[in-house]
């Protein structure tokens, strides 16, 4: 079990470039999440997907789009990167059935720098 | 707006002592509260969940209390070890299926 995997681990973009952050989980979880983490601000929810085929905005969705490709994969796209999007991005998943339905499992993160 | 406050100052503690972290919240009526551990360069890892009707929860050397009247949770690490050095995050559900996280408190345990 790899858990939650994210690619790439590091990325440097120029302002205006686009990119997609990939996330996959092999735990058969229904819900998946994208967060960003900035110093002193904690994790902030960008988008989440309660189940395959559904997505919903979180606290800071502007400048981002998501795709829930299938049950395993949830990608985050930056269409036109801005320096304010420099951050560490975490993907997480959650099982919505069974005894441990509230805890979230996190990936290792993608460190993104926009110059 | 909903707010979660954790002490932003690092907690420096000697090995063997008890570390106590505080999580205060406003404008929530949470059904539960969670604590996560985050090591540098890694994603958070779930530690404990405590429900609104539970006063206290324990897991090995960890103890969490939850006071919905005070709107506060305390997180204790007893007999702390250098391996406990990390940042600890408190999290609450602002709505179904979501979590909102505090900024975390760094704990440094020195031998």
């Amino acid at each position: 079990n790899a858990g939650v995997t994210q690619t790439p681990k590091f990325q440097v973009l120029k302002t205006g470039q686009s990119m997609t952050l990939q996330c996959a989980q092999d735990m058969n979880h229904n819900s998946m999440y994208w967060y960003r983490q900035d110093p002193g601000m904690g994790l902030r929810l960008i988008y989440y997907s309660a189940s395959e085929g559904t997505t919903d905005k979180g606290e800071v969705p502007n400048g981002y789009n998501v795709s829930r490709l299938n049950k395993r994969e949830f990608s985050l796209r930056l269409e036109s990167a801005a320096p304010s999007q420099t951050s560490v991005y975490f993907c997480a998943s959650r099982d919505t059935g069974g005894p441990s339905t509230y805890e979230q499992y996190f990936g290792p993160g993608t460190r993104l720098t926009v110059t | 707006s909903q707010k979660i406050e954790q002490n932003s100052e690092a907690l420096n503690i000697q090995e063997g002592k008890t570390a106590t972290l505080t999580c205060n919240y406003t404008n929530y009526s949470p059904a539960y509260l969670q604590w996560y551990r985050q090591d540098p360069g890694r994603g958070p890892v779930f530690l404990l969940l405590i429900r609104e009707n539970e006063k206290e929860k324990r897991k090995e050397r960890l103890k969490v209390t939850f006071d919905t009247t005070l709107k506060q949770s305390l997180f204790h690490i007893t007999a702390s070890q250098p391996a406990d050095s990390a940042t600890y995050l408190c999290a609450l559900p602002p709505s179904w299926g979501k979590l909102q996280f505090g900024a975390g408190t760094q704990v440094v345990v020195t031998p």
Side-chain angles (χ1 to χ4, degrees):
Chain A
N1 253 6
V4 179
T5 56
Q6 293 183 235
T7 54
K9 285 187 167 39
F10 300 93
Q11 184 71 49
V12 179
L13 290 178
K14 292 190 188 316
T15 298
Q17 286 185 318
S18 61
M19 80 159 294
T20 300
L21 281 63
Q22 307 285 357
C23 173
Q25 51 91 10
D26 63 0
M27 296 174 283
N28 202 36
H29 287 173
N30 284 319
S31 296
M32 296 186 73
Y33 305 81
W34 276 106
Y35 294 91
R36 60 178 287 173
Q37 187 173 38
D38 302 292
M41 299 199 69
L43 289 153
R44 291 183 291 167
L45 182 65
I46 305 171
Y47 270 94
Y48 91 107
S49 171
S51 60
E52 186 180 351
T54 68
T55 61
D56 200 0
K57 293 179 182 177
E59 188 184 348
V60 288
N62 290 346
Y64 305 96
N65 284 303
V66 290
S67 295
R68 184 75 185 267
L69 305 167
N70 47 55
K71 193 171 185 180
R72 288 189 65 245
E73 297 171 289
F74 188 36
S75 61
L76 179 73
R77 183 158 177 85
L78 286 69
E79 290 291 350
S80 179
S84 61
Q85 294 178 305
T86 293
S87 189
V88 181
Y89 291 85
F90 289 100
C91 177
S93 70
R94 182 174 75 100
D95 182 14
T96 55
S100 301
T101 57
Y102 298 109
E103 63 185 273
Q104 293 189 12
Y105 294 80
F106 284 81
T110 294
R111 189 172 295 272
L112 176 68
T113 302
V114 183
T115 61
Chain B
S1 62
Q2 293 169 316
K3 205 171 174 185
I4 301 172
E5 289 181 349
Q6 295 186 256
N7 197 339
S8 57
E9 266 186 46
L11 179 65
N12 291 285
I13 191 157
Q14 207 170 11
E15 184 175 6
K17 303 287 188 189
T18 296
T20 298
L21 284 63
T22 304
C23 173
N24 294 304
Y25 60 90
T26 53
N27 295 323
Y28 279 96
S29 296
Y32 58 87
L33 182 148
Q34 299 185 22
W35 283 90
Y36 287 76
R37 170 186 172 136
Q38 187 173 22
D39 291 288
R42 306 185 80 123
V45 174
F46 171 80
L47 293 174
L48 278 165
L49 178 149
I50 185 165
R51 298 177 191 275
E52 60 179 332
N53 61 348
E54 296 174 316
K55 295 291 183 195
E56 183 180 297
K57 198 87 170 271
R58 290 176 187 259
K59 179 182 173 183
E60 297 172 354
R61 294 182 296 106
L62 307 179
K63 184 178 90 170
V64 171
T65 63
F66 193 15
D67 189 327
T68 55
T69 303
L70 287 179
K71 297 189 184 297
Q72 181 181 80
S73 175
L74 298 179
F75 178 85
H76 306 271
I77 308 172
T78 58
S80 57
Q81 303 168 0
D84 295 326
S85 297
T87 297
Y88 293 86
L89 310 173
C90 166
L92 287 151
S95 58
W96 187 90
K98 298 180 184 177
L99 274 182
Q100 186 168 358
F101 287 81
T105 299
Q106 185 185 11
V107 173
V108 179
V109 183
T110 50

